Amino acid sequence: MFNVTRNGLSVSGVQRAAMLTVMLSATPRSIAPALHNVSSTASVATETVASSFSSPAVLKNISSLPRTVEVTITAAPARLGLLPGKPTDVYAYNGTVPGPTLEAREGDHVIIHFQNNLPEPSTIHCHGIHLPADMDGSPFGLVPAGGHFDYSFTIKAGTAGTYWYHPHPDLRSEYQVAKGLYGALIVRADDDPIASIPEKLLILSDNRFLPDGSIDFPDSNSVQAEVDEENGREGNVLFVNGKVMPTLTIRSGEVQRWRVINASASRVYRLAIPGQTLLHVGSDGGLFEHPVEVNDILVASSERVELLVRGTGPPGSQAQLQALPYDRYMPQTRPADWNVPRALLSLSVSNATPIAPVSIPTVLRPIPALDTNTATATHVVVLSQGLINGEVMDMHRVDVNGKLGATEIWQLENIVGMDHPFHLHGFQFQVLDRNGVPERYRSWKDVVNIPKHESVRFIVKYSDFPGKWMFHCHILAHEDHGMMAVLEVK
Ligand code: C2O
Ligand code: CU
Ligand code: CU
């Protein structure tokens, strides 16, 4: 750990420096063109209700055994006040939206007693966790209405990161997530290099409501239903941990570690705090090798990011976490207000005296490269509108065969004019290149957004756990309509 200076470093500087003297600089050096019209917050779409920031409760560990996390999660209908003054009928995990956070450490044995008190089948899918196929909560493992299932698995070393859990029934994932079923899953490492930095969890979600407060699911023959089917369901009310535009307090000079989960069914967030840079330190599968300084970060549906955010303003000042415009859409169904930045959270610099900046390590953890020379197969996967390799999901078909223990390359080609965030179950991968341009730094990922007409190659090792694994577009409407397929590892 080292002292910091007041200078922000360039990305390449950050990556090369043996010692990092990072300060999240107060003035972004380069601003993407689209940002120029965001000169004042007056043009930002903001909901009016303010509340203070809070995180979901942490699931109670009922085990007394060492290195064991044993929890109970019940999914059931509930009536909650998501909007002021109006109750909403939801589905909730243990009675809250978002559900309580599952916290565990690398090496822990996790047991989840799942009770399904919904009027329909469901599952608990631990998105991004490397676990046995029969514990994956995929559509192959439906838990019937009223049924019970015990998920049990051991968290692998080196997989500390920010994950989340959600239902995964075939055809009904979008509905169940929209009704309120999602929660965070945080895996910690004993040797976390930034464990001393105060941490905040931000689960991003959006929803749409009818005037009476009920969740708006359009009539299946309506125009809105068609738009939802193409874009995925987006809502006009944006939540952080189930709250609209909460206020998070930071001290001047303080650095906070934010774990951000995009639990939205389709919305993509281009996160920024206008006027300051962010330090991007991790993604789906945990920390990077080195911090990377950025002006904004794209977080597609189901992706996660870890950021270091600094209170750059003087005591009493305010900043905003915003979602900047990002055009993922086909022109014909692009929302009219797609180019308006959206406010997500207000960051309030407290009146406490400024604190001395903490040092931030330059080296976070090693990410050993998967070697392309050892790859024994390349799978080409073509994404079109609602289809993978020209077909809709068939639970009885195997689409890709993988060899247990093998390292393989996947080449994903999006041949249509809208983005598809691609997700593989069970195994973290490393992006090799995008449109042939090598990825600038390594990270562990389980979701990669494939923009319109672009291609991405990643490399993955099926280190263990034979079985059938889903891969799909994580726009939940696309997944439900069949943009999902099966990898069999054996
Ligand atoms: Cu977030 Cu198939 O999962
Ligand atoms: Cu998943
Ligand atoms: Cu898609």
Side-chain angles (χ1 to χ4, degrees), residues 131-134 402-405 427 462-469 487-490:
L131 39 58
D134 58 349
K403 217 170 132 29
L404 187 63
F427 306 94
Y462 316 120
S463 48
D464 40 25
F465 302 140
K468 289 185 178 176
W469 300 96
L487 158 70
E488 181 166 22
V489 173
K490 61 179 181 194

Side-chain angles (χ1 to χ4, degrees), residues 151-218:
Y151 297 94
S152 106
F153 50 90
T154 300
I155 306 247
K156 201 183 168 188
T159 62
T162 309
Y163 303 88
W164 62 300
Y165 65 95
H166 63 79
H168 214 308
D170 198 18
L171 307 173
R172 294 285 280 177
S173 292
E174 184 187 62
Y175 179 79
Q176 292 192 6
V177 172
K179 286 286 275 185
L181 297 176
Y182 54 92
L185 197 173
I186 297 177
V187 176
R188 298 179 194 284
D190 290 337
D191 56 355
D192 185 333
I194 50 173
S196 60
I197 296 178
E199 194 178 297
K200 307 285 172 190
L201 169 66
L202 284 74
I203 307 176
L204 309 180
S205 68
D206 61 343
N207 218 330
R208 205 161 62 211
F209 298 87
L210 293 171
D212 67 357
S214 60
I215 299 173
D216 178 9
F217 294 104

Side-chain angles (χ1 to χ4, degrees), residues 185-436:
L185 197 173
I186 297 177
V187 176
R188 298 179 194 284
D190 290 337
D191 56 355
D192 185 333
I194 50 173
S196 60
I197 296 178
E199 194 178 297
K200 307 285 172 190
L201 169 66
L202 284 74
I203 307 176
L204 309 180
S205 68
D206 61 343
N207 218 330
R208 205 161 62 211
F209 298 87
L210 293 171
D212 67 357
S214 60
I215 299 173
D216 178 9
F217 294 104
D219 188 9
S220 56
N221 311 313
S222 63
V223 172
Q224 187 61 54
E226 271 172 48
V227 170
D228 285 1
E229 193 176 324
E230 178 149 317
N231 290 350
R233 185 171 179 277
E234 276 191 347
N236 58 336
V237 184
L238 275 56
F239 296 96
V240 178
N241 298 340
K243 292 194 169 171
V244 176
M245 195 61 189
T247 298
L248 194 159
T249 305
I250 192 167
R251 272 179 81 170
S252 188
E254 184 192 358
V255 174
Q256 294 179 349
R257 174 191 198 165
W258 289 7
R259 296 177 182 266
V260 183
I261 300 171
N262 182 356
S264 303
S266 66
R267 183 176 289 277
V268 173
Y269 299 79
R270 187 154 71 90
L271 296 179
I273 300 178
Q276 68 185 76
T277 56
L278 306 166
L279 209 58
H280 192 182
V281 292
S283 63
D284 306 335
L287 295 174
F288 296 154
E289 295 196 300
H290 310 283
V292 181
E293 194 177 19
V294 295
N295 290 311
D296 57 71
I297 302 182
L298 199 72
V299 194
S301 175
S302 81
E303 277 187 305
R304 287 86 67 204
V305 292
E306 291 190 51
L307 306 176
L308 298 184
V309 174
R310 187 172 167 267
T312 53
S317 63
Q318 299 275 342
Q320 254 185 4
L321 176 68
Q322 295 183 358
L324 302 180
Y326 175 72
D327 183 11
R328 67 181 183 87
Y329 310 93
M330 302 265 190
Q332 60 274 26
T333 50
R334 190 187 284 138
D337 63 352
W338 77 272
N339 57 355
V340 179
R342 316 275 314 214
L344 299 173
L345 169 142
S346 86
L347 185 63
S348 166
V349 182
S350 76
N351 284 318
T353 43
I355 51 174
V358 295
S359 52
I360 292 157
T362 55
V363 177
L364 299 171
R365 62 164 188 174
I367 298 186
L370 295 176
D371 182 358
T372 51
N373 293 316
T374 64
T376 45
T378 296
H379 303 289
V380 177
V381 175
V382 176
L383 309 173
S384 54
Q385 202 56 3
L387 304 173
I388 292 181
N389 288 343
E391 309 214 64
V392 294
M393 164 78 176
D394 179 346
M395 298 271 291
H396 305 291
R397 189 179 65 223
V398 169
D399 300 274
V400 171
N401 284 286
K403 217 170 132 29
L404 187 63
T407 299
E408 298 187 340
I409 291 171
W410 289 50
Q411 181 171 334
L412 308 163
E413 294 175 1
N414 182 353
I415 59 167
V416 294
M418 84 173 288
D419 292 20
H420 294 292
F422 179 91
H423 171 50
L424 173 64
H425 283 215
F427 306 94
Q428 295 279 325
F429 52 77
Q430 293 175 359
V431 173
L432 293 170
D433 45 48
R434 300 175 193 251
N435 303 314

Side-chain angles (χ1 to χ4, degrees), residues 81-101:
L82 301 183
L83 301 172
K86 287 174 202 164
T88 301
D89 286 318
V90 300
Y91 285 174
Y93 286 129
N94 292 3
T96 66
V97 174
T101 299

